[in-house]
Amino acid sequence: MKNTYLLTSLRCALFGAFAVTTSQVQAESIAITNATVYTVAEQGILSQATVVIDDGKIIAVYSKDEVPESLSTDTLIDAKGRILTPGFIASQNLLGLVEVGAVSATRDGSDKKADLTFDASLAFNPKSSLIAYARKGGVTSNLVMPHGGDKVFTGQSFVVNLSGEFDSVIAQKNAVMVSLGSSRKGSRALKLQTLANDLEDAQKSLAKAEKAAAKNKKAKGKDKKEAKEPSRSQKVMYALLAGEKPLLAYADRATDILALLKLKQQYNLDLVLVGASDAVLVSDEIAKANVTVMMSAIDNLPSSFDSLHNSLANVAKLTKAGVKVIISNSGESHNINQLRFDAGVAIANGLAETTALAAITANVADTFKLNSGRIVVGKNADLVLWSSDPFEISTKVDAMWINGNAMSLRSRQDALRERYTADTDMPRAYTK
């Protein structure tokens, strides 16, 4: 590695690198100096700190007094006191599965025949124009949650980074989704009963298979039998029972939430509540069960009789009660870049700023076992450098790295703005 001291401004230094796509170059070693670093870890907020990244990882985090006299890196960037945060992790959306919601041919996020084995990551489009737009909001990775079919089990989620590369799916089938609560036809009771029965059947099937395997292990010669391969659905259920996959359960009403907490205790599930409008009514029970809640921060009106307790203060109330909260997106794929504004609304309604940051970084990473979400040694170098407070509307992303690679901050919307505001001899209908 060589020492390179950039005397030009941060923006000029970075945008020269942005012209080269990540597929063309290997991640260089970079030292970001004089930054206000929000580590989202034990170190807290560090002023005039230095973060060193190499080979796609964070290899050093120095406080002001720990910075070496010389840093041997390919690039040295002076942050000039600006805020450096982990890249935001969005969730509960269909990014890469839907391009235009009103155009059915661009929708790959659901299917009537989908069941718990549904893997929508096979249709993920890393070249979607919405990905670059999401990056403008500081989002570097995303938990995609397809809708699935009409059954209780609606499929499995997956995680992607927003590099736009064809290998950007970083975790396939990482969690199982169920949809509970009210519906236009039928009873919520049957959904809960179906979930409980499926878990019971899977537990019995697993116990039977383990007993047969133990018996077969002791057998000799002709008494040995070839083990029966579990079905795809059984493998998923076994993973749920083993805690290898979280169960993402859509439920709003308090009674549904309490029923899920009982199932978690009975089967030792890794449960994540999604939506959870009534969670504030049973927050103590949720905290005691050590269950994470994934919810919108801006739902303040009932959308059904199951969500009568929607409030802008719910995230703060749950956090105060000891519940770990993930702030999910308020809309679909086109609104992912507004995740930071949603977190800002939670801050305006009683949530601490550092807690809000954790709700869109570390909490997501911890829940889904991602190597990101914090600025500590060993984590992926998914970082965002901001022009000012990331939760302020006027703030912009000055620079972004995913796996140590500098990302372009230009989107299709930028190109359209330039096209229709440019001086031209064409008729005004073309430019406006």
Side-chain angles (χ1 to χ4, degrees), residues 161-234:
N161 67 45
L162 301 196
S163 65
E165 299 299 319
F166 287 115
D167 61 352
S168 54
V169 176
I170 57 180
Q172 283 184 291
K173 299 182 288 187
N174 72 316
V176 180
M177 298 176 295
V178 296
S179 180
L180 303 174
S182 61
S183 58
R184 293 181 181 180
K185 296 181 180 180
S187 168
R188 75 180 67 237
L190 185 59
K191 292 183 179 180
L192 285 167
Q193 185 178 3
T194 299
L195 175 60
N197 289 345
D198 286 350
L199 289 169
E200 181 182 5
D201 291 345
Q203 189 179 60
K204 289 180 179 179
S205 174
L206 179 60
K208 184 178 180 180
E210 291 175 341
K211 184 177 180 180
K215 183 178 180 180
N216 198 39
K217 187 177 180 180
K218 294 179 180 179
K220 296 181 180 180
K222 296 181 180 180
D223 293 332
K224 280 187 174 293
K225 298 180 181 180
E226 186 175 350
K228 184 179 179 181
E229 180 75 11
S231 68
R232 293 184 182 89
S233 296
Q234 285 178 319

Side-chain angles (χ1 to χ4, degrees), residues 328-406:
S328 61
N329 294 98
S330 57
E332 287 295 349
S333 306
H334 291 76
N335 293 323
I336 291 176
N337 69 318
Q338 298 181 24
L339 179 61
R340 65 190 183 99
F341 302 146
D342 294 358
V345 170
I347 294 170
N349 286 273
L351 190 67
E353 184 176 9
T354 52
T355 307
L357 181 58
I360 53 177
T361 55
N363 290 359
V364 195
D366 292 347
T367 300
F368 298 100
K369 300 178 178 61
L370 307 177
N371 190 38
S372 56
R374 291 185 174 85
I375 301 181
V376 296
V377 174
K379 295 294 184 182
N380 293 342
D382 294 351
L383 304 171
V384 181
L385 190 62
W386 301 89
S387 64
S388 188
D389 184 341
F391 301 119
E392 289 289 338
I393 291 179
S394 60
T395 298
K396 296 181 179 180
V397 175
D398 275 345
M400 173 185 287
W401 297 265
I402 296 178
N403 290 329
N405 291 302

Side-chain angles (χ1 to χ4, degrees), residues 33 160 197 199 218 252 264 288 342 369 418 430:
T33 67
V160 300
N197 289 345
L199 289 169
K218 294 179 180 179
D252 284 313
K264 170 191 165 51
K288 184 178 180 181
D342 294 358
K369 300 178 178 61
E418 293 169 5
Y430 177 83

Side-chain angles (χ1 to χ4, degrees), residues 9 17 27 39 76 91 110 165 194 201 269 331 353 359 370 375 417:
S9 68
T39 65
L76 188 67
S91 57
S110 64
E165 299 299 319
T194 299
D201 291 345
L269 303 172
E353 184 176 9
L370 307 177
I375 301 181
R417 182 190 65 243

Side-chain angles (χ1 to χ4, degrees), residues 265-294:
Q265 183 178 14
Q266 182 177 356
Y267 296 102
N268 197 28
L269 303 172
D270 183 5
L271 175 65
V272 178
L273 296 171
V274 183
S277 298
D278 267 6
V280 290
L281 301 182
V282 289
S283 57
D284 290 340
E285 289 86 346
I286 296 172
K288 184 178 180 181
N290 194 28
V291 169
T292 298
V293 171
M294 179 186 294

Side-chain angles (χ1 to χ4, degrees), residues 278-331:
D278 267 6
V280 290
L281 301 182
V282 289
S283 57
D284 290 340
E285 289 86 346
I286 296 172
K288 184 178 180 181
N290 194 28
V291 169
T292 298
V293 171
M294 179 186 294
M295 69 189 322
S296 167
I298 67 169
D299 288 342
N300 64 335
L301 293 173
S303 58
S304 70
F305 285 103
D306 278 11
S307 58
L308 297 178
H309 294 86
N310 274 335
S311 169
L312 298 180
N314 278 358
V315 174
K317 289 179 180 178
L318 288 174
T319 301
K320 186 177 181 180
V323 177
K324 179 186 288 187
V325 177
I326 293 171
I327 296 178
S328 61
N329 294 98
S330 57

